[in-house]
Amino acid sequence: MMELFQQALSPVNLPFTILLALVLLYWATVFIGVLDLDFLDFEVDAHADVDVDADVHVDADADGGGGFSAGWLAGVLSFFHIGAVPFMVFFSMLALSLWAFSILGNHFFGEKYAGFAALFLIPNIALSLLAAKLLTWPFKGSYQRMNRQGIAKRDLVGKMCKVTTAVSPGAIGQAELSFDEQNFLLKIRTEEETIPKGEQALIIEYDPEKDFFLVKSF
């Protein structure tokens, strides 16, 4: 244990130790109720014009290069389950993987090869991204699974939801809905208005072909 503590505080591992400590502090504040789960969920919100639903349909209404870039980014986010699970869940797994691989790599190879930490940085990031994908995979379905008791998505039409990713005409956003003692993460669109994050919206229609809900501000 003491050796692990010393490794964690060594200069080559200290940045990842600090990152992991900040993540643990975040979850501690969530558990005691100081922060909400979507606090610091800025990465997904920063790409609000991209569909980050688990079953991404790369059907952006943008034309030309903008549509290609939006579709490519949506594919990357979907590949890493960002949107299918809250961003901070994915980021927490990423921080844990970065720390673990850094500790192990520098423990076994750092003392033998000078400059190993610098050379291992890019491989560490790549391995950690894949590890975070695998670690979040079990949680993927739990955030978007419909009611086990048989609630259909059409049953959510007419309900109120909270917008968690800003949505504008022609773009995809996300919203949360609590119904029948369950929480759902929904893919939403609007017709003519922009609804910022945190606002309440009314679900007025469900499109089964593209699997999104049409909403309007309330």
Side-chain angles (χ1 to χ4, degrees), residues 48 153 156-177 184-207 211-218:
K153 291 186 177 182
L156 302 181
V157 174
K159 306 297 182 183
M160 297 294 299
C161 61
K162 179 182 178 181
V163 177
T164 56
T165 300
V167 59
S168 57
I172 292 292
Q174 286 184 325
E176 292 180 347
L177 169 65
F184 303 121
L185 183 63
L186 311 177
K187 183 170 62 176
I188 61 173
R189 276 187 170 179
T190 61
E191 288 184 330
E192 300 178 349
E193 60 182 333
T194 297
I195 306 179
K197 178 179 179 180
E199 294 294 321
Q200 296 291 319
L202 176 66
I203 300 174
I204 59 177
E205 185 179 339
Y206 172 65
D207 188 330
D211 191 28
F212 69 80
F213 294 85
L214 188 65
V215 301
K216 63 185 301 183
S217 61
F218 185 83

Side-chain angles (χ1 to χ4, degrees), residues 3 7 105-114 116:
E3 183 180 1
Q7 283 282 345
N106 286 291
H107 173 71
F108 289 107
F109 303 106
E111 297 179 358
K112 301 178 182 179
Y113 305 102
F116 173 83

Side-chain angles (χ1 to χ4, degrees), residues 41-62:
D41 198 13
F42 53 86
E43 289 294 334
V44 174
D45 188 49
H47 303 295
D49 292 339
V50 180
D51 175 7
V52 292
D53 187 69
D55 300 317
V56 172
H57 300 283
V58 185
D59 59 350
D61 294 331

